[in-house]
Amino acid sequence: MAVSLDQLQAFVAAAEAGSFSGAARALRKAQSAVSAQVANLETDLGLALFSRAGRNPVLTPAGERLLLEARVVLDRREHLIGVASSLEQGVENRLVVAIDELYPEHALGALFASFAQRFPFVELELLFPLMEDVSRMVQSGAADLGVMWRQEELPTELGFQTIGWVPLKLVCGRDHPLAKARVEWEELKRHRQILVAARGDGAEKRRLRVAAEVWWVESHWVILEMVKHGIGWAFVTDHVIAASLTAPYLVTPDLQFDQGDWPIALELVWHKQRPCGPAATWLRERFAAERVGGLPVEGWPR
C-alpha cells in the first residue's frame, strides 16, 4: 500500500471544498489530476472515501474517519518542515530555563505565550529551583538561562543582568506572639523563623537568617502553611501571599524598626562561555524588558 502526501492533500482539499473542481482551484491543479489522486488513494486503501451518486462528492463513513487522520499527517508534515527551517536558521532545538519562585508567576504566562508564537518549534523545559540552586544549574549546563534573586557571590563564569525587584514581607499567623504588639528587631530573634532552603549549603541559604531557631523549608507555599499554624514567622513575597489560600490567616506585624518590606533584586544569569542562540537571546531581552517591580529606595546590597 503506497499512500502519498499529494494523494492525502487532494483528499483533504476535496472534502473541504465539497467538490473536485473546488479542490483543483485551491491546489492550483487540473481537476482531472485531483480526481485521479483521490481515486488512486481509494484504490490503495481499498475503501471508498466519497460517494459520487449526486452532483458533488459526499464523504462516506470511512472517508469521514480517515479525513481526521489525513489532516494529522499533513499537519505533521508542515511541522517537520517548520522544525527543519528553524534548525537551518540556527534556532535552538531545546531550552531549559530555571526560575526561582520569587519571580511572579503571573508574569510568566504572557511572556512564554509570546515565546511560543515566536519560536513554535523550540522544546522548552521550565524548572523552579530555589536561590543559588539556579546559578548552580546554569553553571553546570543543566539550564541555559536562570532567573534568581541576587546572589552576593556569583560564580565568575556567569553573566548577569538585573531584571527587577520584588518586596519581601515579614508575616506571621494571626495568633502568633508577634501579631499581638509592636515588634522590635530583637523580638524577632526570640521566635522561630521559617526560611526557604536551597538544596546546597551555601552562604545564600543563611542570608536572611535573623532568629536563633530556624526551620528550613524547600517551598514558599509550605512555609505559608506553617506560618498560618503559628509554627514561626517568615519573609515571603507579595505575589506568593496573594495567590495562597492562607492569606486571610496571615498578618504583617507592626514593626518598630521598619515599614515591613525588604526589596530583593531579581537577576537573569547565563554562562559566559556558552553563546546564546536566537531563542535564548530573545528570552534574555524579553525578561529584561518586563522589569518586574520598581527600583527600591534602599535594600540589601550585593
Side-chain angles (χ1 to χ4, degrees):
M1 182 183 295
V3 175
S4 71
L5 291 174
D6 286 342
Q7 288 175 333
L8 294 178
Q9 190 177 45
F11 167 45
V12 171
E16 292 178 346
S19 68
F20 294 125
S21 59
R25 288 192 296 272
L27 297 175
R28 298 183 178 181
K29 293 182 178 180
Q31 180 177 336
S32 58
V34 172
S35 298
Q37 286 176 331
V38 173
N40 290 337
L41 177 61
E42 291 176 314
T43 299
D44 291 337
L45 295 176
L47 293 168
L49 301 175
F50 292 98
S51 169
R52 296 168 175 79
R55 181 177 179 180
N56 292 319
V58 177
L59 285 169
T60 63
E64 290 178 354
R65 176 66 181 86
L66 291 175
L67 177 62
L68 302 175
E69 301 297 333
R71 283 173 170 156
V72 170
V73 172
L74 294 177
D75 179 69
R76 298 315 296 172
R77 177 188 68 171
E78 293 303 314
H79 183 80
L80 182 148
I81 293 171
V83 172
S85 175
S86 179
L87 293 174
E88 183 184 20
Q89 296 170 24
V91 177
E92 302 93 323
N93 180 52
R94 185 172 186 271
L95 279 180
V96 179
V97 184
I99 304 173
D100 193 297
E101 286 182 351
L102 278 180
Y103 193 89
E105 69 275 5
H106 60 77
L108 294 176
L111 189 154
F112 283 105
S114 297
F115 178 85
Q117 289 185 328
R118 179 67 179 81
F119 300 98
F121 306 112
V122 176
E123 180 179 307
L124 183 69
E125 183 173 358
L126 296 181
L127 303 176
F128 295 91
L130 298 170
M131 298 161 44
E132 68 262 37
D133 287 346
V134 175
S135 60
R136 289 195 189 97
M137 292 187 69
V138 176
Q139 185 180 17
S140 68
D144 300 291
L145 294 174
V147 176
M148 59 182 295
W149 75 348
R150 176 173 288 174
Q151 191 170 328
E152 290 187 347
E153 296 182 4
L154 193 68
T156 56
E157 57 265 47
L158 299 187
F160 70 92
Q161 179 178 4
T162 302
I163 58 173
W165 299 78
V166 292
L168 292 181
K169 282 190 175 298
L170 193 159
V171 293
C172 64
R174 291 187 301 192
D175 297 324
H176 192 277
L178 294 179
K180 307 298 182 182
R182 193 165 173 80
V183 178
E184 297 181 0
W185 180 258
E186 290 300 317
E187 185 68 15
L188 293 180
K189 300 179 182 180
R190 302 188 185 101
H191 298 276
R192 181 186 296 114
Q193 181 181 3
I194 305 177
L195 278 168
V196 65
R199 294 292 176 97
D201 195 31
E204 292 297 317
K205 184 175 180 178
R206 296 179 292 276
R207 182 173 167 189
L208 299 182
R209 181 167 185 166
V210 176
E213 182 182 352
V214 169
W215 280 17
W216 305 98
V217 179
E218 196 182 28
S219 167
H220 293 284
W221 308 98
V222 176
I223 285 176
L224 288 182
E225 281 294 332
M226 293 188 171
V227 170
K228 168 187 169 182
H229 286 87
I231 296 173
W233 62 271
F235 291 116
V236 188
T237 62
D238 278 338
H239 70 90
V240 171
I241 295 172
S244 173
L245 296 176
T246 64
Y249 306 96
L250 306 177
V251 297
T252 298
D254 181 14
L255 304 178
Q256 188 178 34
F257 55 89
D258 202 281
Q259 295 181 347
D261 286 356
W262 287 266
I264 292 290
L266 288 172
E267 291 185 343
L268 180 71
V269 296
W270 62 89
H271 202 291
K272 297 176 183 176
Q273 302 303 317
R274 301 190 192 102
C276 290
T281 299
W282 185 94
L283 276 177
R284 282 178 54 178
E285 294 172 352
R286 183 59 184 269
F287 269 115
E290 287 295 316
R291 239 12 234 190
V292 172
L295 292 175
V297 176
E298 60 180 283
W300 289 317
R302 189 184 184 90

